[in-house]
Amino acid sequence: MRNKKKILITGSSGFIGASLCKRLLMESDASIIGIDNMNDYYSVALKRSRLSELEGLKKDFTFIQGDISDKSFINKLFQENDFDIVVNLAAQAGVRYSIDHPDVYISSNIIGFYNLLEAIRNHPVSHFIYASSSSVYGNSDSVPFSTKDRTDQPVSLYAATKKSDELLAYTYSHLYHIPMTGLRFFTVYGPAGRPDMAYFSFTEKLLKGEKIRIFNYGKCQRDFTYIDDIVEGILRIMEKGPLREYSLYNIGNSHPENLLEFVSTLSETLIENQLLPADYDIQEYLELVEMQLGDVVATYADTSALQNDYGFHPDTPLKEGLERFVRWYKENYREL
Ligand SMILES: NC(=O)c1ccc[n+]([C@@H]2O[C@H](COP(=O)([O-])OP(=O)(O)OC[C@H]3O[C@@H](n4cnc5c(N)ncnc54)[C@H](O)[C@@H]3O)[C@@H](O)[C@H]2O)c1
């Protein structure tokens, strides 16, 4: 980004938020305020280590611990700062957790999101970018998923909150003419990723000699998207700016992987990195079980809109991305 911009990034200690902050700090002279409530949904030590890496860059980065569902905190933040761009990545993520912990989804993903919209209404910004999710497509069998498809049958509360955010953002952009862009991310993975996600928790279990549960008897497909591709997509959208008042984009790899093939690629990568023995047989560690409530069978992104508008689509091959994740895990994670 050429001009010095003031940017608010929420969820800045999270996987995607910290990766985005890092690239922005390294490649631009933007002034960044990062906020995060540092909740313990997964390892707080991992969130702290991402944050200390950002602070260690000694660039124009200010971290404030706070919660987007706290209206007075958000209002004060916007009164004291004149933001050019706001990127909302703070949310309660995870499909399965939303079955037993609905309250936090409503407070972070709905109330928190609404607080940001109201703050932006009172202190307009040039662009509000926010994370949605491929989960809004539910069990649609029209693949690849296009942003033109209907998305009114979410099958988890998490998905319903993300769809609600899209609707609220549409209304605010329409009423107050503030450009808003929603990004539907598809299964993001990579170094310093989220321990609650399958590629990460499978790695931990396999290294402990435990079995892993493969849902829907392995008949699931996921469009795994490497973190650097997600960050590149967000950066291009931030740099070029909004092309219309309201937009939605898929950011996914457009290359769905069958879960059993994914697991075998992961175990090969763990063997190549000497984390598992050369004669390790993954088949002995698989427990094929039925579909989980709230899960979808397949995800597959149509990224033509992103390609047309911003000249980019994710394309890091799974093997390459997993290799980078496993190397990071080997070097760092056991200490966290
Ligand atoms: N990682 C994926 O595969 C994926 C896929 C689709 C959508 N998304 C969305 O992308 C965004 C970022 O996801 P992520 O993978 O980096 O998740 P993450 O959990 O690593 O990051 C979210 C961060 O937000 C913080 N947070 C949560 N609630 C908050 C609140 N009320 N106030 C302030 N901070 C809060 C958390 O502490 C966390 O650090 C989320 O909106 C998520 O729903 C992620």
Side-chain angles (χ1 to χ4, degrees), residues 51-67:
L51 175 59
S52 58
E53 191 182 355
L54 296 178
E55 290 176 333
L57 294 172
K58 306 244 175 289
K59 296 282 184 96
D60 193 348
F61 175 73
T62 307
F63 175 70
I64 306 171
Q65 185 163 348
D67 198 305

Side-chain angles (χ1 to χ4, degrees), residues 10-17 35-39 41-42 47 50 66-69 88-94 107-108 131-134 158 162 184-189 194 197:
T10 74
S12 59
S13 305
F15 174 34
I16 301 173
I35 62 169
D36 200 297
N37 67 0
M38 304 294 279
N39 70 56
Y41 167 60
Y42 64 78
K47 292 182 183 179
R50 295 182 188 128
D67 198 305
I68 57 168
S69 67
N88 180 42
L89 299 167
Q92 179 56 52
S107 89
S108 294
S132 183
S133 159
S134 60
Y158 169 67
K162 290 292 179 181
R184 293 176 176 168
F185 300 143
F186 284 65
T187 318
V188 190
Y189 73 102
R194 267 174 40 207
M197 291 185 68

Side-chain angles (χ1 to χ4, degrees), residues 1-2 5 27 85 234-241:
M1 223 148 301
R2 261 158 257 120
K5 293 222 158 75
E27 292 179 13
I85 301 174
I234 304 173
L235 278 178
R236 285 188 184 226
I237 292 168
M238 291 173 83
E239 269 169 24
K240 188 168 173 185

Side-chain angles (χ1 to χ4, degrees), residues 79-201:
Q79 272 154 18
E80 290 173 356
N81 295 280
D82 198 8
F83 296 116
D84 296 298
I85 301 174
V86 173
V87 185
N88 180 42
L89 299 167
Q92 179 56 52
V95 166
R96 288 174 197 154
Y97 192 72
S98 70
I99 309 284
D100 299 322
H101 302 84
D103 289 4
V104 66
Y105 288 79
I106 300 300
S107 89
S108 294
N109 303 7
I110 304 281
I111 308 288
F113 193 82
Y114 159 76
N115 287 340
L116 288 170
L117 290 175
E118 273 293 298
I120 287 167
R121 170 190 175 184
N122 294 320
H123 306 274
V125 298
S126 67
H127 199 182
F128 175 57
I129 299 171
Y130 65 93
S132 183
S133 159
S134 60
S135 64
V136 300
Y137 291 107
N139 270 317
S140 165
D141 50 15
S142 133
V143 287
F145 298 159
S146 156
T147 45
K148 295 185 189 113
D149 295 348
R150 281 181 66 171
T151 49
D152 50 6
Q153 295 183 322
V155 296
S156 67
L157 180 66
Y158 169 67
T161 62
K162 290 292 179 181
K163 178 66 190 175
S164 308
D165 290 348
E166 293 180 355
L167 296 172
L168 291 169
Y170 178 83
T171 306
Y172 272 72
S173 68
H174 172 74
L175 289 176
Y176 308 113
H177 308 293
I178 300 166
M180 303 201 176
T181 299
L183 304 177
R184 293 176 176 168
F185 300 143
F186 284 65
T187 318
V188 190
Y189 73 102
R194 267 174 40 207
D196 62 313
M197 291 185 68
Y199 70 95
F200 204 126
S201 63

